[in-house]
Amino acid sequence: LDKYDTIANSKKAMDSARMAGCTIIHVPIAFEDGHKEISGDFGILQAIKEGKTFKANEWGSAFCDTMKPGPTDLICKGKSGLCGFHSTNLDFLLRQNGIKNVVLGGFLTNCCVESTMRTAYEHGYKVYTLKDCCAATSVEGQEAAYAHTFGMFSIPTTSDEIIGAVQGSPVSA
């Protein structure tokens, strides 16, 4: 988070896109008490279950104060896995709003962001992934995703470049 100033860049990009009239969609993850949705016995989902993280209506599934949805934002429903599309209404929200371009940021870079990026790409969306608006559990994991995955399934970009684009004057970062 610190190396790329992730939260500040995310807030700046979100506010600029909102002011430019872009549709902002938040895709929170939440699990019911006991994490009954998760049945596996390995990997990150098992760690979520064992750690009792992202429980619905508790701190772990709440939006951080800096990134709280605004009154015109949409909130995707049903995310109880890694990809923003599987088990959710995200594709419906995108199509109902005529959205063709998807700009992604979030956590974890090499997990949820990457899963959502791949699926958006496969669904035919033009995907832009914000390198300075994502975070992983390590800087090495973050940089590996940038170097080896982002360009396969999206157009890697930065918050400054997206802000320049939505304001009508591309900015080089």
Side-chain angles (χ1 to χ4, degrees):
L1 288 171
D2 293 333
K3 180 172 181 176
Y4 296 101
D5 207 10
T6 303
I7 298 293
N9 288 328
S10 298
K11 173 77 169 148
K12 182 176 62 169
M14 179 179 69
D15 289 347
S16 295
R18 192 182 285 135
M19 287 185 348
C22 298
T23 301
I24 307 295
I25 302 176
H26 301 268
V27 187
I29 188 169
F31 297 94
E32 297 303 318
D33 192 34
H35 293 70
K36 297 175 198 117
E37 305 93 332
I38 302 172
S39 63
D41 59 358
F42 68 95
I44 192 165
L45 289 175
Q46 183 60 27
I48 288 170
K49 185 174 185 172
E50 287 175 2
K52 300 178 182 170
T53 55
F54 305 115
K55 285 175 63 175
N57 303 313
E58 292 190 8
W59 177 86
S61 66
F63 294 101
C64 74
D65 289 338
T66 307
M67 298 300 293
K68 285 198 184 287
T72 61
D73 296 356
L74 300 174
I75 300 173
C76 179
K77 307 232 183 328
K79 185 171 185 268
S80 57
L82 308 178
C83 178
F85 285 90
H86 299 299
S87 78
T88 75
N89 65 339
L90 180 57
D91 194 51
F92 176 80
L93 293 174
L94 293 167
R95 293 184 190 285
Q96 285 294 306
N97 286 280
I99 296 169
K100 307 271 188 240
N101 299 308
V102 173
V103 179
L104 293 173
F107 308 104
L108 291 168
T109 305
N110 52 350
C111 186
C112 297
V113 174
E114 187 174 308
S115 295
T116 303
M117 171 196 344
R118 288 171 184 248
T119 303
Y121 174 81
E122 289 186 52
H123 283 327
Y125 294 102
K126 189 167 187 179
V127 183
Y128 298 84
T129 309
L130 298 167
K131 298 189 300 183
D132 59 345
C133 297
C134 297
T137 56
S138 69
V139 172
E140 295 79 16
Q142 177 93 344
E143 292 176 350
Y146 297 160
H148 303 291
T149 308
F150 276 30
M152 292 175 67
F153 305 103
S154 73
I155 299 166
T157 189
T158 65
S159 57
D160 284 339
E161 290 170 337
I162 289 297
I163 290 166
V166 299
Q167 293 175 345
S169 57
V171 175
S172 296

